[in-house]
Amino acid sequence: MHFFKYRSGELFAEDIPVRKLAEKYGTPLYIYSYNTLLRHFKAYADAFNGYQHIICFAVKSNSNTAILRLFAKNGGGADIVSGGELYIALQAGIPSKKIVYAGVGKTEDEIRFALKSKILMFNVESENELREIDRVAGKMKTKAPIALRINPDIDPGTHPYITTGLKKYKFGIPIEEALEYYKLASKLKNIDVIGVHKHIGSQITKVAPFVDALKRVLILIDELRAQGVEIKYLDAGGGLGISYKDEEPPVPKDLAKNLIPLLEGRKLTLIMEPGRSIVGNAGILVTKTLYLKKGEDKEFVIVDAGMNDLIRPSLYEAYHHIVPVIRNKRDSIISDVVGPICESGDFLARKRELKRLKQGEYLAVMSAGAYGFSMSSNYNSRPRVAEVLVKDEKHFLIRKRQTYADLTRDEHIPAFLK
Ligand SMILES: *Cc1c(COP(=O)(O)O)cnc(C)c1O
């Protein structure tokens, strides 16, 4: 459910015509719907209401401070994977005690920053990382709260690039070895074992993998208790899918209905780390048709948004609906919607049936709120685009478009070249 709908043939973002925003702010342009974001966040909060929990939004899916602030104001926490994300989450007003930190390559500086900020816990991905966190905490004369990220070896049935909970991938600690690692962790002087973490992948469209993975983790928690290691936090990760094309993924309520009964009677705090399922369908990328070019068996629609603005189609062959901002009754033709970047892999859609377009018309790339702007780059020296938040009939610029000067702002010419 989202608030990008047609009214009399014209696409609206909440109560504002998308065309007006494109004219005012220019294209390409990311537009987010406040009420969709809020609704999706609350869907999680309400679904898990019956059990002690924290919703830690996965910052990597969308790291705009205004959006993080929205979640902070509604009781949300953050799942971070870098020092930069920690900085942004704190800037946005997310309480440090609601921040969990994953990622296989945390540096000493990042560990220090997180310890100094007193985050809720580190989700540790290897033995050497555990020893490093112990060492750094020791130097800082503090104790590091940790969970071990367990790899439950469950196939979530999604794209290999966004699968994480299988043995062959770099994430987490194999579940068979978990007990051993926990024993080690409990012995380390500057480590405080408080949780278990798992995250099995992204864009998961079934409940079963979540249930199976949770069951495996609960067995581990029982074994740990028997050995005297008391777990307080069960971090179940994120990964719930959204509808890009015709998927019918479960909603948070379905997830809660299946997970909470497994947790009942246990004195745990459940942590959820949703990213895509909150922001994905709450954002669109608006782009303008620059040129139409006849190919042999299809038409190339050349638009002003490229793979640097939205890389998901190029990187994962991901599907995004592409719709006209103003509907028309022209005939349909097979089109490749491509960007201006000098790469053959620069496309937003391939062999897509689209109504014949005219130069200068606006298109909306749907479901672009997650892993859209946050994965964007300056490739081909293209300034990063603007982001706008719409609430009812009001709109707010939440990130201004970069200028050409921004492109060279951080560079220096050595004296000998001056
Ligand atoms: C990416 C990630 C998430 C969020 O995944 P979504 O599919 O966007 O919900 C949650 N936890 C961890 C550890 C992640 O790496």
Side-chain angles (χ1 to χ4, degrees):
M1 231 328 253
H2 59 73
F3 295 95
F4 297 99
K5 297 276 176 262
Y6 283 98
R7 291 184 196 172
S8 322
E10 179 159 11
L11 186 67
F12 274 62
E14 300 206 6
D15 296 328
I16 306 177
V18 166
R19 175 186 48 85
K20 279 204 174 149
L21 296 171
E23 283 166 0
K24 176 168 174 61
Y25 296 104
T27 55
L29 177 70
Y30 275 98
I31 301 175
Y32 305 102
S33 152
Y34 169 86
N35 283 299
T36 309
L37 291 164
L38 189 63
R39 181 192 177 101
H40 289 176
F41 183 82
K42 286 198 165 157
Y44 269 97
D46 293 347
F48 288 94
N49 201 14
Y51 198 84
Q52 178 78 15
H53 74 274
I54 311 174
I55 308 225
C56 292
F57 174 70
V59 175
K60 76 175 188 290
S61 64
N62 189 315
S63 57
N64 188 290
T65 321
I67 289 175
L68 297 185
R69 170 87 69 174
L70 187 171
F71 302 139
K73 284 196 147 202
N74 286 278
D79 157 47
I80 58 161
V81 293
S82 72
E85 287 191 354
L86 174 54
Y87 175 83
I88 295 172
L90 293 171
Q91 287 285 307
I94 293 179
S96 60
K97 278 293 163 221
K98 288 185 182 174
I99 296 179
V100 292
Y101 184 3
V104 295
K106 304 176 185 83
T107 66
E108 172 165 358
D109 281 351
E110 289 177 316
I111 294 166
R112 278 181 175 279
F113 180 26
L115 284 170
K116 208 174 83 204
S117 308
K118 301 201 181 305
I119 63 164
L120 177 59
M121 65 185 186
F122 292 86
N123 290 331
V124 177
E125 309 233 11
S126 67
E127 175 178 344
N128 287 335
E129 182 196 328
L130 183 63
R131 291 187 187 279
E132 176 68 357
I133 293 174
D134 177 57
R135 186 184 69 82
V136 177
K139 277 214 297 202
M140 292 173 68
K141 301 204 176 356
T142 185
K143 271 196 143 190
I146 67 112
L148 294 182
R149 176 169 182 175
I150 301 306
N151 190 334
D153 203 30
I154 296 275
D155 189 348
T158 182
H159 190 286
Y161 285 11
I162 49 178
T163 297
T164 55
L166 279 176
K167 272 193 214 166
K168 61 180 169 181
Y169 296 109
K170 68 180 177 184
F171 299 99
I173 289 159
I175 192 149
E176 309 84 58
E177 292 162 39
L179 272 181
E180 209 179 301
Y181 279 82
Y182 268 102
K183 269 188 222 156
L184 167 69
S186 335
K187 280 194 208 116
L188 295 174
K189 253 191 18 234
N190 312 301
I191 293 288
D192 191 9
V193 176
I194 62 167
V196 177
H197 175 234
K198 64 125 180 101
H199 169 74
I200 54 175
S202 203
Q203 185 54 14
I204 303 169
T205 52
K206 300 212 159 51
V207 171
F210 289 101
V211 171
D212 295 346
L214 190 73
K215 282 184 179 160
R216 289 198 183 177
V217 165
L218 287 173
I219 292 171
L220 173 65
I221 290 180
D222 289 339
E223 287 172 345
L224 286 170
R225 180 163 296 159
Q227 310 236 353
V229 182
E230 207 57 45
I231 296 299
K232 295 195 203 90
Y233 294 92
L234 196 177
D235 186 338
L240 193 59
I242 63 170
S243 178
Y244 284 105
K245 194 178 186 181
D246 47 17
E247 303 93 326
E248 288 177 5
V251 295
K253 206 162 49 167
D254 304 322
L255 211 53
K257 208 168 58 196
N258 285 278
L259 299 187
I260 291 179
L262 301 175
L263 300 170
E264 224 108 54
R266 291 171 181 270
K267 287 199 204 77
L268 291 166
T269 296
L270 176 68
I271 295 171
M272 297 297 295
E273 304 176 334
R276 189 191 311 272
S277 51
I278 291 185
V279 287
N281 284 327
I284 63 172
L285 173 63
V286 184
T287 183
K288 188 160 76 178
T289 309
L290 296 176
Y291 303 104
L292 305 165
K293 181 173 170 178
K294 279 230 170 316
E296 214 174 312
D297 55 351
K298 60 191 172 188
E299 181 145 296
F300 290 103
V301 177
I302 302 165
V303 298
D304 66 358
M307 63 188 282
N308 71 299
D309 304 308
L310 179 66
I311 203 174
R312 298 190 68 259
S314 307
L315 189 60
Y316 313 124
E317 295 182 316
Y319 178 98
H320 286 267
H321 274 316
I322 298 182
V323 301
V325 165
I326 311 283
R327 270 188 178 153
N328 63 64
K329 295 209 166 76
R330 298 169 212 152
D331 57 333
S332 294
I333 51 167
I334 301 298
S335 305
D336 274 12
V337 182
V338 302
I341 301 265
C342 298
E343 299 276 351
S344 298
D346 177 30
F347 60 89
L348 297 174
R350 274 184 163 161
K351 300 239 166 99
R352 187 72 61 85
E353 200 173 326
L354 285 179
K355 297 263 187 225
R356 205 179 278 283
L357 284 153
K358 291 185 180 160
Q359 245 170 260
E361 284 183 322
Y362 294 123
L363 292 171
V365 183
M366 306 304 287
S367 317
Y371 307 101
F373 188 95
S374 69
M375 287 180 111
S376 69
S377 78
N378 288 114
Y379 188 42
N380 276 207
S381 294
R382 287 162 52 82
R384 300 253 211 133
V385 308
E387 294 179 288
V388 166
L389 181 68
V390 169
K391 179 174 185 287
D392 307 316
E393 73 297 334
K394 296 200 181 69
H395 48 93
F396 308 88
L397 185 64
I398 57 172
R399 184 193 306 268
K400 67 174 195 228
R401 189 176 300 279
Q402 283 188 330
T403 63
Y404 289 145
D406 289 327
L407 296 175
T408 53
R409 192 188 52 206
D410 302 324
E411 298 180 4
H412 295 284
I413 296 173
F416 79 95
L417 287 175
K418 278 185 180 158

